[in-house]
Amino acid sequence: MEKEIVDSKFLESMADRRPFMKRMFTVFISQEPKRIQNIRDALTSGDVEKLRHLAHSLKGGAATIGVERVRDCCLQLENACRAGDLHSALALMDHLEEEMRHAYEFMFNYLAEH
């Protein structure tokens, strides 16, 4: 079964902290596109260590706000970096960008509805 874009159990746990959730989503939406570009740049330049570090930090940020599919992509990207497998990292980057688009869409909708 495919994971949800944002974990519903996490959202339920934060139901009484909506202003905080909205701030976290707003920060994610405003800051993460730059990190995604930095990840793409590190991948393009072949800087595996920088790529691994950026994927690791995005993984933590995604996990904090329940964005499990992004977290999983980052973990796979980290593992590809550790293995020095830039071919896999390139494919994972495309998947990560797709999952980030889903996450942004979810967050924009959440912010519009709450």
Side-chain angles (χ1 to χ4, degrees):
M1 188 178 102
E2 190 172 47
K3 291 183 178 178
E4 301 163 294
I5 296 169
V6 176
D7 182 56
S8 58
K9 287 185 177 68
F10 174 76
L11 289 174
E12 287 168 23
S13 75
M14 297 296 287
D16 59 344
R17 301 181 70 201
R18 252 193 211 123
F20 181 65
M21 275 302 297
K22 289 172 75 172
R23 274 198 313 278
M24 289 188 0
F25 282 174
T26 301
V27 168
F28 190 88
I29 290 166
S30 67
Q31 292 184 353
E32 295 312 327
K34 176 75 172 145
R35 187 177 346 229
I36 291 294
Q37 185 57 53
N38 290 340
I39 290 172
R40 173 68 71 186
D41 292 345
L43 181 60
T44 302
S45 69
D47 189 340
V48 178
E49 189 51 36
K50 183 176 182 184
L51 178 60
R52 189 197 62 73
H53 173 74
L54 289 166
H56 179 78
S57 58
L58 176 55
K59 180 182 75 177
T64 300
I65 59 173
V67 188
E68 291 298 312
R69 285 164 32 185
V70 168
R71 188 198 72 81
D72 290 350
C73 283
C74 290
L75 178 60
Q76 292 171 6
L77 194 53
E78 260 190 290
N79 290 338
C81 290
R82 280 196 191 94
D85 186 354
L86 286 177
H87 180 73
S88 290
L90 195 55
L92 289 165
M93 185 68 215
D94 291 339
H95 185 62
L96 174 59
E97 288 178 322
E98 179 185 342
E99 290 301 342
M100 288 296 285
R101 281 191 294 276
H102 292 303
Y104 296 146
E105 183 180 348
F106 180 96
M107 291 175 192
F108 278 123
N109 289 336
Y110 182 93
L111 291 170
E113 292 168 8
H114 295 89

